[in-house]
Amino acid sequence: MKRTVPHEFRNRHGELLDFTYHAGATEVSTLVVLGHGVTGNKDRPLLVELANQLAHIGVHAVRLSFSGNGNSEGRFADSTVSKEAEDLGAVLDALPGWHVGYAGHSMGAAVGVLRASSDLRIKFLISLAGMAHTAAFAQREFAGVTPGTGCMWDKPECPLSQAYLDDMTRVNSVTESARQVRAPWLFVHGLADDVVPPQDSRDLFAVASEPKRLIEMPEADHVFSEHHAKTMASSVVAWLRELQP
């Protein structure tokens, strides 16, 4: 089957999903889809750095903005972890013939767990500062914000919706989903992360199947600021090299 990356991705609602494709070597069939966290988009510096390093070793990469985020169609108020997992499924539908992995940051990592737990098309999984306990995160970060009128972290473009809170509560934690993941799995978490506790990655790592690896970066924050993004991406690249046949 000829491998191609389509000119567009649309979710099941028909919403156009914004993305950037980084071409790897023509003979390489591995492609990594990169997903962002809540209030983020495909242009987060850590995702750009990772995509560039992947392309440098010949691996193809797609940086994706989930619906309602960045320049993707849809309303931010409708963005939930469950809807984003559906978005990821729609992207996988459009990538037949590829050996696909997924790398998600923060809530985007929780999206990957939900998808990979039941979708065998994800051949390997990478969680970057990954969120495990969705209900606890929403309570911790947004307990004092009124849904429908308030915003996430005082960002006017990111209104807090009841749909988001309800979905985070319903999911509660992706730990049980993590038990169902059978793909090789890499966790990278900064120990200076004050948004998603490093314990979230440890909790998922504890129940994940082999092969798995947990890398903790002592001084890295939630978004792998400054030189930490390069170090994180280099760690991912080194792990992927080990996975290649």
Side-chain angles (χ1 to χ4, degrees):
M1 178 183 295
K2 183 179 179 180
R3 297 185 301 271
T4 60
V5 173
H7 295 298
E8 66 176 38
F9 295 114
R10 290 186 181 272
N11 64 15
R12 71 180 184 89
H13 304 283
E15 295 163 342
L16 188 67
L17 305 178
D18 187 34
F19 73 97
T20 297
Y21 170 54
H22 297 246
T26 56
E27 70 277 10
V28 174
S29 63
T30 301
L31 182 149
V32 184
V33 178
L34 280 62
H36 58 84
V38 63
T39 76
N41 58 60
K42 69 179 180 64
D43 296 324
R44 277 284 173 92
L46 72 105
L47 300 182
V48 175
E49 177 65 32
L50 179 54
N52 285 335
Q53 287 205 31
L54 290 171
H56 183 71
I57 65 165
V59 174
H60 305 258
V62 168
R63 289 187 285 115
L64 176 71
S65 286
F66 293 113
S67 55
N69 292 265
N71 291 322
S72 289
E73 293 180 352
R75 299 193 317 149
F76 181 84
D78 296 330
S79 297
T80 65
V81 66
S82 296
K83 187 184 180 192
E84 291 181 1
E86 292 179 354
D87 287 352
L88 180 54
V91 171
L92 297 175
D93 290 343
L95 295 170
W98 290 96
H99 183 82
V100 179
Y102 175 74
H105 174 243
S106 192
M107 193 178 88
V111 168
V113 178
L114 292 177
R115 190 80 233 174
S117 67
S118 60
D119 196 328
L120 298 179
R121 294 175 297 178
I122 296 179
K123 303 302 183 184
F124 56 89
L125 189 61
I126 300 163
S127 293
L128 307 172
M131 183 188 299
H133 308 300
T134 57
F137 170 84
Q139 175 65 26
R140 186 172 63 245
E141 296 296 326
F142 307 125
V145 182
T146 302
T149 59
C151 299
M152 296 180 176
W153 296 311
D154 297 321
K155 296 182 178 181
E157 70 277 17
C158 300
L160 179 67
S161 69
Q162 191 64 51
Y164 173 85
L165 293 176
D166 289 347
D167 192 64
M168 295 291 269
T169 300
R170 182 190 64 78
V171 172
N172 185 41
S173 173
V174 297
T175 305
E176 289 306 310
S177 293
R179 296 180 189 276
Q180 307 305 316
V181 175
R182 294 295 177 262
W185 196 345
L186 173 68
F187 301 82
V188 185
H189 213 123
L191 296 184
D193 191 336
D194 61 356
V195 178
V196 175
Q199 189 62 43
D200 276 37
S201 283
R202 295 170 186 154
D203 289 347
L204 295 182
F205 181 79
V207 302
S209 299
E210 297 286 355
K212 60 184 177 180
R213 182 175 299 169
L214 171 61
I215 298 173
E216 295 185 337
M217 298 175 58
E219 298 180 356
D221 62 11
H222 184 60
V223 295
F224 301 95
S225 298
E226 302 173 340
H227 65 281
H228 297 299
K230 291 184 180 295
T231 304
M232 174 275 292
S234 296
S235 299
V236 172
V237 165
W239 180 77
L240 276 180
R241 286 186 185 276
E242 294 180 19
L243 285 186
Q244 301 304 309

